[in-house]
Amino acid sequence: MTDGVIKYNFHFTPTAPLPKTAWEEIEAVRERLFAMKLIGEKAQIGYGNISRRIDSERFVITGTQTGHLPNLTAEHYAQIDTWNNETFTIHSSGATKPSSEALTHATIYNLSPDIKAVIHIHSKTIWNFMLSHHYPQTADVPYGSREMIEAVKTLYRNQNPLDKPKFAMKGHEEGVMTFGRDLREAEMVLYRIVGEILENSSNQA
Ligand SMILES: [Zn+2]
């Protein structure tokens, strides 16, 4: 590690694929975001991931290296069984390892028990728009680091995170997070930003 950044320790216990009830809602949202290339693959690196909380301890998230796939099945979903932002440890199960960005999702779930879904997409257009239009944004810190966890906590200090359930990750190019009380809400938050961009560009035309 050359950047001196502490990364999470991932512990993975392979199990049977997750039941459909655990991931079908995620899959419906993912299909739409993939169609818009907000989730996908660029230069052979997958990007974008979605998660949904099961209970206070656990959430289900898209698996690692799935960005290129238009549709996912049970084998492609992972369950986070415990996470700890003090010891930087994540335990997961399922038929695949979770996205490495699971820790960003975990950090957001830690903000409030009312947060039940998290979406992470990549888009240069949305990211640039958010950074230049005073949307919430985390400091310029590497993703997956202690600094990033602190940056997310700092961003939502002294306010209900669900009042501003979106931010651009300044230190993670093209990276945008939205979240909500359910998946639909997190998805709509994202679409509202896209709406702002479309309105802005038609005003300029
Ligand atoms: Zn990302």
Side-chain angles (χ1 to χ4, degrees):
M1 207 62 62
T2 54
D3 53 5
V5 162
I6 296 170
K7 302 279 182 182
Y8 263 61
N9 299 307
F10 279 86
H11 300 277
F12 170 55
T13 307
T15 63
L18 305 183
K20 195 170 186 181
T21 48
W23 52 267
E24 61 187 345
E25 217 184 320
I26 298 177
E27 182 59 22
V29 176
R30 190 187 177 283
E31 193 171 40
R32 292 189 279 275
L33 300 187
F34 185 90
M36 289 183 277
K37 299 189 191 296
L38 298 175
I39 287 175
E41 188 185 55
K42 205 157 126 182
Q44 287 172 351
I45 296 171
Y47 61 84
N49 32 73
I50 306 175
S51 70
R52 176 180 151 268
R53 189 171 214 151
I54 301 174
D55 53 34
S56 61
E57 296 287 312
R58 302 177 296 164
F59 63 90
V60 171
I61 186 165
T62 45
T64 186
Q65 289 164 2
T66 54
H68 61 293
L69 299 167
N71 287 104
L72 306 185
T73 56
E75 296 78 50
H76 302 120
Y77 282 93
Q79 181 167 301
I80 304 299
D81 297 307
T82 61
W83 69 86
N84 188 320
N85 273 355
E86 305 300 321
T87 58
F88 296 91
T89 309
I90 278 182
H91 288 264
S92 76
S93 57
T96 187
K97 291 180 180 177
S99 157
S100 61
E101 298 190 85
L103 53 97
T104 317
H105 292 243
T107 303
I108 292 171
Y109 287 123
N110 274 353
L111 294 172
S112 162
D114 295 331
I115 298 171
K116 299 282 170 55
V118 176
I119 293 175
H120 173 58
I121 59 97
H122 278 215
S123 161
K124 193 148 210 157
T125 305
I126 298 174
W127 187 75
N128 277 332
F129 183 84
M130 290 177 79
L131 290 182
S132 59
H133 287 75
H134 307 291
Y135 277 77
Q137 48 194 267
T138 46
D140 189 0
V141 293
Y143 99 89
S145 64
R146 184 188 291 264
E147 289 87 346
M148 194 227 44
I149 292 166
E150 289 308 317
V152 172
K153 285 197 225 162
T154 302
L155 185 59
Y156 291 104
R157 192 161 289 154
N158 305 324
Q159 66 171 328
N160 181 350
L162 285 162
D163 289 342
K164 280 185 182 173
K166 61 207 159 193
F167 61 89
M169 304 167 85
K170 205 167 184 178
H172 183 46
E173 199 175 348
E174 304 190 3
V176 170
M177 311 286 317
T178 68
F179 50 91
R181 290 174 192 83
D182 55 30
L183 262 175
R184 186 185 160 77
E185 200 174 278
E187 187 182 12
M188 293 308 290
V189 168
L190 178 59
Y191 293 160
R192 267 183 230 110
I193 304 169
V194 174
E196 293 291 325
I197 294 171
L198 295 175
E199 190 181 16
N200 197 267
S201 64
S202 64
N203 286 344
Q204 284 171 358

PDB file of all heavy atoms in Angstrom, residues 47-49 101 120-122 143 169 172-173 175-176, ligand 1:
ATOM      1  N   TYR A  47     -18.008  -1.066 -12.897  1.00  0.00           N
ATOM      2  CA  TYR A  47     -18.322   0.031 -11.984  1.00  0.00           C
ATOM      3  C   TYR A  47     -19.800   0.013 -11.637  1.00  0.00           C
ATOM      4  O   TYR A  47     -20.627  -0.496 -12.396  1.00  0.00           O
ATOM      5  CB  TYR A  47     -17.924   1.384 -12.586  1.00  0.00           C
ATOM      6  CG  TYR A  47     -18.656   1.718 -13.882  1.00  0.00           C
ATOM      7  CD1 TYR A  47     -19.920   2.300 -13.861  1.00  0.00           C
ATOM      8  CD2 TYR A  47     -18.084   1.430 -15.111  1.00  0.00           C
ATOM      9  CE1 TYR A  47     -20.601   2.593 -15.039  1.00  0.00           C
ATOM     10  CE2 TYR A  47     -18.755   1.717 -16.294  1.00  0.00           C
ATOM     11  CZ  TYR A  47     -20.013   2.301 -16.252  1.00  0.00           C
ATOM     12  OH  TYR A  47     -20.678   2.585 -17.415  1.00  0.00           O
ATOM     13  N   GLY A  48     -20.112   0.573 -10.484  1.00  0.00           N
ATOM     14  CA  GLY A  48     -21.488   0.696 -10.042  1.00  0.00           C
ATOM     15  C   GLY A  48     -21.940  -0.505  -9.238  1.00  0.00           C
ATOM     16  O   GLY A  48     -21.602  -1.644  -9.560  1.00  0.00           O
ATOM     17  N   ASN A  49     -22.686  -0.249  -8.177  1.00  0.00           N
ATOM     18  CA  ASN A  49     -23.196  -1.339  -7.348  1.00  0.00           C
ATOM     19  C   ASN A  49     -24.393  -0.857  -6.538  1.00  0.00           C
ATOM     20  O   ASN A  49     -24.557   0.336  -6.307  1.00  0.00           O
ATOM     21  CB  ASN A  49     -22.095  -1.905  -6.438  1.00  0.00           C
ATOM     22  CG  ASN A  49     -21.100  -0.856  -6.033  1.00  0.00           C
ATOM     23  OD1 ASN A  49     -21.412   0.006  -5.221  1.00  0.00           O
ATOM     24  ND2 ASN A  49     -19.904  -0.885  -6.624  1.00  0.00           N
ATOM     25  N   GLU A 101     -16.649  -1.986  -3.058  1.00  0.00           N
ATOM     26  CA  GLU A 101     -17.210  -0.734  -2.557  1.00  0.00           C
ATOM     27  C   GLU A 101     -18.277  -0.974  -1.487  1.00  0.00           C
ATOM     28  O   GLU A 101     -18.956  -0.042  -1.061  1.00  0.00           O
ATOM     29  CB  GLU A 101     -17.725   0.108  -3.717  1.00  0.00           C
ATOM     30  CG  GLU A 101     -16.557   0.466  -4.637  1.00  0.00           C
ATOM     31  CD  GLU A 101     -16.855   1.497  -5.706  1.00  0.00           C
ATOM     32  OE1 GLU A 101     -16.769   2.680  -5.390  1.00  0.00           O
ATOM     33  OE2 GLU A 101     -17.143   1.121  -6.841  1.00  0.00           O
ATOM     34  N   HIS A 120     -24.681   3.109  -5.919  1.00  0.00           N
ATOM     35  CA  HIS A 120     -23.431   3.767  -6.317  1.00  0.00           C
ATOM     36  C   HIS A 120     -23.280   3.633  -7.824  1.00  0.00           C
ATOM     37  O   HIS A 120     -23.270   2.524  -8.357  1.00  0.00           O
ATOM     38  CB  HIS A 120     -22.244   3.120  -5.605  1.00  0.00           C
ATOM     39  CG  HIS A 120     -20.909   3.615  -6.087  1.00  0.00           C
ATOM     40  ND1 HIS A 120     -20.550   4.944  -6.049  1.00  0.00           N
ATOM     41  CD2 HIS A 120     -19.854   2.974  -6.626  1.00  0.00           C
ATOM     42  CE1 HIS A 120     -19.330   5.083  -6.544  1.00  0.00           C
ATOM     43  NE2 HIS A 120     -18.879   3.908  -6.909  1.00  0.00           N
ATOM     44  N   ILE A 121     -23.212   4.767  -8.494  1.00  0.00           N
ATOM     45  CA  ILE A 121     -23.054   4.750  -9.955  1.00  0.00           C
ATOM     46  C   ILE A 121     -21.815   5.544 -10.349  1.00  0.00           C
ATOM     47  O   ILE A 121     -21.258   6.286  -9.536  1.00  0.00           O
ATOM     48  CB  ILE A 121     -24.295   5.317 -10.682  1.00  0.00           C
ATOM     49  CG1 ILE A 121     -24.588   6.765 -10.262  1.00  0.00           C
ATOM     50  CG2 ILE A 121     -25.511   4.438 -10.422  1.00  0.00           C
ATOM     51  CD1 ILE A 121     -24.071   7.825 -11.169  1.00  0.00           C
ATOM     52  N   HIS A 122     -21.387   5.356 -11.581  1.00  0.00           N
ATOM     53  CA  HIS A 122     -20.315   6.177 -12.134  1.00  0.00           C
ATOM     54  C   HIS A 122     -20.853   6.930 -13.344  1.00  0.00           C
ATOM     55  O   HIS A 122     -21.475   6.330 -14.224  1.00  0.00           O
ATOM     56  CB  HIS A 122     -19.137   5.305 -12.584  1.00  0.00           C
ATOM     57  CG  HIS A 122     -18.231   4.922 -11.467  1.00  0.00           C
ATOM     58  ND1 HIS A 122     -16.875   4.787 -11.627  1.00  0.00           N
ATOM     59  CD2 HIS A 122     -18.474   4.669 -10.160  1.00  0.00           C
ATOM     60  CE1 HIS A 122     -16.319   4.444 -10.463  1.00  0.00           C
ATOM     61  NE2 HIS A 122     -17.278   4.356  -9.564  1.00  0.00           N
ATOM     62  N   TYR A 143     -11.124   6.376  -1.991  1.00  0.00           N
ATOM     63  CA  TYR A 143     -12.240   5.540  -1.556  1.00  0.00           C
ATOM     64  C   TYR A 143     -11.696   4.304  -0.831  1.00  0.00           C
ATOM     65  O   TYR A 143     -10.575   3.883  -1.067  1.00  0.00           O
ATOM     66  CB  TYR A 143     -13.132   5.180  -2.748  1.00  0.00           C
ATOM     67  CG  TYR A 143     -12.897   3.818  -3.347  1.00  0.00           C
ATOM     68  CD1 TYR A 143     -13.586   2.701  -2.860  1.00  0.00           C
ATOM     69  CD2 TYR A 143     -11.984   3.629  -4.378  1.00  0.00           C
ATOM     70  CE1 TYR A 143     -13.373   1.450  -3.402  1.00  0.00           C
ATOM     71  CE2 TYR A 143     -11.767   2.392  -4.919  1.00  0.00           C
ATOM     72  CZ  TYR A 143     -12.464   1.300  -4.422  1.00  0.00           C
ATOM     73  OH  TYR A 143     -12.237   0.066  -4.950  1.00  0.00           O
ATOM     74  N   MET A 169     -18.476  11.830  -4.836  1.00  0.00           N
ATOM     75  CA  MET A 169     -17.235  11.475  -4.139  1.00  0.00           C
ATOM     76  C   MET A 169     -16.071  12.168  -4.857  1.00  0.00           C
ATOM     77  O   MET A 169     -15.619  11.712  -5.900  1.00  0.00           O
ATOM     78  CB  MET A 169     -17.050   9.967  -4.153  1.00  0.00           C
ATOM     79  CG  MET A 169     -18.238   9.222  -3.554  1.00  0.00           C
ATOM     80  SD  MET A 169     -18.169   7.452  -3.908  1.00  0.00           S
ATOM     81  CE  MET A 169     -17.120   6.902  -2.558  1.00  0.00           C
ATOM     82  N   HIS A 172     -13.071  10.094  -5.800  1.00  0.00           N
ATOM     83  CA  HIS A 172     -13.355   8.858  -6.535  1.00  0.00           C
ATOM     84  C   HIS A 172     -14.023   9.297  -7.823  1.00  0.00           C
ATOM     85  O   HIS A 172     -15.239   9.492  -7.883  1.00  0.00           O
ATOM     86  CB  HIS A 172     -14.272   7.982  -5.682  1.00  0.00           C
ATOM     87  CG  HIS A 172     -14.591   6.644  -6.267  1.00  0.00           C
ATOM     88  ND1 HIS A 172     -13.660   5.815  -6.814  1.00  0.00           N
ATOM     89  CD2 HIS A 172     -15.772   5.987  -6.373  1.00  0.00           C
ATOM     90  CE1 HIS A 172     -14.249   4.712  -7.240  1.00  0.00           C
ATOM     91  NE2 HIS A 172     -15.535   4.791  -6.986  1.00  0.00           N
ATOM     92  N   GLU A 173     -13.217   9.496  -8.857  1.00  0.00           N
ATOM     93  CA  GLU A 173     -13.686  10.135 -10.081  1.00  0.00           C
ATOM     94  C   GLU A 173     -14.907   9.429 -10.658  1.00  0.00           C
ATOM     95  O   GLU A 173     -14.923   8.205 -10.782  1.00  0.00           O
ATOM     96  CB  GLU A 173     -12.558  10.184 -11.124  1.00  0.00           C
ATOM     97  CG  GLU A 173     -12.852  11.219 -12.192  1.00  0.00           C
ATOM     98  CD  GLU A 173     -11.697  11.376 -13.180  1.00  0.00           C
ATOM     99  OE1 GLU A 173     -10.605  10.853 -12.914  1.00  0.00           O
ATOM    100  OE2 GLU A 173     -11.926  12.027 -14.220  1.00  0.00           O
ATOM    101  N   GLY A 175     -17.654   8.980  -9.305  1.00  0.00           N
ATOM    102  CA  GLY A 175     -18.412   8.233  -8.293  1.00  0.00           C
ATOM    103  C   GLY A 175     -19.489   9.057  -7.617  1.00  0.00           C
ATOM    104  O   GLY A 175     -19.235  10.146  -7.094  1.00  0.00           O
ATOM    105  N   VAL A 176     -20.710   8.541  -7.632  1.00  0.00           N
ATOM    106  CA  VAL A 176     -21.865   9.207  -7.024  1.00  0.00           C
ATOM    107  C   VAL A 176     -22.625   8.203  -6.166  1.00  0.00           C
ATOM    108  O   VAL A 176     -22.790   7.042  -6.559  1.00  0.00           O
ATOM    109  CB  VAL A 176     -22.803   9.774  -8.131  1.00  0.00           C
ATOM    110  CG1 VAL A 176     -24.126  10.246  -7.558  1.00  0.00           C
ATOM    111  CG2 VAL A 176     -22.103  10.884  -8.909  1.00  0.00           C
TER     112      VAL A 176
HETATM  113 ZN    ZN B   1     -17.030   3.555  -7.757  1.00  0.00          ZN
END
